């Protein structure tokens, strides 16, 4: 078993808390992604798991082994944690061939030569480097160097993979290809994987669960679809999704009505959240627009039309309110055009403006539309 338990982990650099009482369980065999902006603590957490950083407080358990405990004064070094790590910089030995780089970990483990050679051939074949074994890192492309780093990890067959933004140095096309390869390798190895990235596309397409972090604290832990559809606060809602979510601050028209407005927009959200000031989270695909045929107060004007292959991003403005929606690529909207809009009310998330926290819907409180 390679389940990982993190308990009340705290790490401070000077006066800055890089990790603030972080706790989570990482299931055996899952692909867990740590996601967040720069400085959120995701890489610090990964390095603590690897044994490259010593936390100030807390506990880390891998399988049934305590690898760190501040209370028990336990700090197991990286080499004894039975894990493998791929770094952002690949960390290849420039004076070693591909074959020797990949074999290095097997040599450290004192793997018998016949076993090491067989495993080496298998792994190089799996990553598509079978014909490049005698080349040096400087003779390889970025994608090939990444495969060498991955092959080195796979060769030692650790039960835990740790990956620190391993695709960030690759171009967009190659990143897409390598996402597919990484998922395949991880699935075949059945290894517990912790992957750090600030790229939400990587997080959403590769993970079984995503951990969103901010200022050293966990904001949400969810499968990708739940993270996208039901963000637990406005930070997560705003961080996840491209184009970004629409966050619209509205005020209740009265205490018993599901109708809210901000002077530019009036919206019936279909239920009463019991909060006079709310922030509505609406994904761009949950706002529909059509030609305005009758002049009225609720019309919005198109301020930008951004074609994007299979879809078109349209920006709408009215007064101080700006909204983003996405429409079909063959739509004929133009800048300056006046349009009607409608919301998919069932897809909206409602947040308390003061705290930014999600307000869960209580069907008992539903009222008819005003």
């Amino acid at each position: 078993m390679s389940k990982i338990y993190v308990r009340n982990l705290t790490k401070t650099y000077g006066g800055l808390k890089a990790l603030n009482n972080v706790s989570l369980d990482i299931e055996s065999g899952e692909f867990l992604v740590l996601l967040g902006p720069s400085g959120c603590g995701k890489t610090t957490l990964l390095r603590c798991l690897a044994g490259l950083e010593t936390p100030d407080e807390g506990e880390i358990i891998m399988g049934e082994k305590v690898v760190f405990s501040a209370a028990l004064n336990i700090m197991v070094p990286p080499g004894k944690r039975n894990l493998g790590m791929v770094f952002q910089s690949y960390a290849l030995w420039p004076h070693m061939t591909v074959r020797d780089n990949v074999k290095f970990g097997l040599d450290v483990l004192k793997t018998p030569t016949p076993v090491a050679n067989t495993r080496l051939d298998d792994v190089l074949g799996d990553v598509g480097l079978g014909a490049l074994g005698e080349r040096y890192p400087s003779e390889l492309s970025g994608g090939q160097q990444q495969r060498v780093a991955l092959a080195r990890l796979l060769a030692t067959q650790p039960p835990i993979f740790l990956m620190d933004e391993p695709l960030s140095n690759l171009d967009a096309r190659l990143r897409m290809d390598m996402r597919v390869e990484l998922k395949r390798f991880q699935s075949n190895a059945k290894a517990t994987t912790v992957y750090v990235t600030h790229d939400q596309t990587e997080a959403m397409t590769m993970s079984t669960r995503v951990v969103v972090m901010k200022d050293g604290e966990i904001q949400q832990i969810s499968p990708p679809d739940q993270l996208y559809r039901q963000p637990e606060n406005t930070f997560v809602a705003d961080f996840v999704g491209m184009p970004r979510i629409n966050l619209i601050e509205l005020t209740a028209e009265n205490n018993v009505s599901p109708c809210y407005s901000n002077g530019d927009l009036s919206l019936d959200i279909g239920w009463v959240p019991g909060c006079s000031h709310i922030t509505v989270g609406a994904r761009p695909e949950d706002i529909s627009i059509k030609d305005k045929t009758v002049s009225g107060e609720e019309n919005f004007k198109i301020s930008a039309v951004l074609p994007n292959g299979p879809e078109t991003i349209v920006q709408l403005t009215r007064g101080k309110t700006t909204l983003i929606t996405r429409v079909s690529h063959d739509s004929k909207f133009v800048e300056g055009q006046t349009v009607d809009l409608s919301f998919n009310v069932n897809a909206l998330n409602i947040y308390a403006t003061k705290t930014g926290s999600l307000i869960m819907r209580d069907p008992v409180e539903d009222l008819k539309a005003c």
Side-chain angles (χ1 to χ4, degrees), residues 352-370:
T353 299
K354 184 176 181 180
T355 64
S357 299
L358 179 67
I359 304 173
M360 297 302 295
R361 178 170 179 161
D362 183 355
V364 175
E365 298 297 326
D366 288 357
L367 297 177
K368 292 182 178 180
C370 58

Side-chain angles (χ1 to χ4, degrees), residues 333-354:
F333 296 107
V334 296
E335 291 184 18
Q337 183 178 354
T338 300
V339 294
D340 273 327
L341 59 87
S342 60
F343 291 79
N344 179 1
V345 176
N346 293 327
L348 301 180
N349 288 302
I350 308 300
Y351 302 91
T353 299
K354 184 176 181 180

Side-chain angles (χ1 to χ4, degrees), residues 15 25 49 52 86 139 194 232 238 240:
D25 293 348
L49 294 176
L52 301 175
V86 177
E139 300 174 314
V194 184
E232 292 180 2
D238 193 45
V240 174

Side-chain angles (χ1 to χ4, degrees), residues 22-93:
V22 170
S23 295
L24 74 153
D25 293 348
I26 304 170
E27 300 297 329
S28 179
E30 85 165 311
F31 198 125
L32 186 88
V33 173
L34 304 179
L35 175 68
S38 297
C40 72
K42 57 188 185 294
T43 295
T44 300
L45 177 55
L46 190 79
R47 290 176 63 84
C48 288
L49 294 176
L52 301 175
E53 298 284 353
T54 303
D56 302 321
E57 300 173 15
E59 186 177 61
I60 301 173
I61 304 170
M62 295 182 171
E64 298 180 355
K65 182 179 181 180
V66 178
V67 297
F68 171 77
S69 174
L72 300 176
N73 196 29
I74 295 173
M75 178 61 184
V76 176
K80 296 185 180 299
R81 295 196 180 193
N82 198 18
L83 52 81
M85 186 163 182
V86 177
F87 297 89
Q88 180 178 354
S89 62
Y90 312 146
L92 303 179
W93 297 103

Side-chain angles (χ1 to χ4, degrees), residues 264 318-322:
D264 300 323
R318 186 173 193 274
K320 296 181 179 179
T321 301
T322 298

Side-chain angles (χ1 to χ4, degrees), residues 145-202:
Q145 291 182 44
Q146 179 60 73
R147 288 170 182 265
V148 176
L150 182 61
R152 183 174 55 192
L153 178 148
L154 294 171
T156 58
Q157 298 180 331
I160 297 173
F161 293 174
L162 303 181
M163 301 186 180
D164 187 11
E165 303 198 51
L167 307 184
S168 61
N169 294 331
L170 305 180
D171 61 58
R173 174 67 180 270
L174 194 52
R175 279 203 304 272
M176 172 62 77
D177 294 340
M178 285 305 300
R179 285 177 203 142
V180 175
E181 294 298 313
L182 279 175
K183 284 194 71 171
R184 180 172 66 86
F185 293 139
Q186 188 270 343
S187 177
N188 291 340
K190 296 180 173 56
T192 303
T193 301
V194 184
Y195 186 105
V196 164
T197 184
H198 64 272
D199 185 332
Q200 58 176 284
T201 302
E202 285 183 14

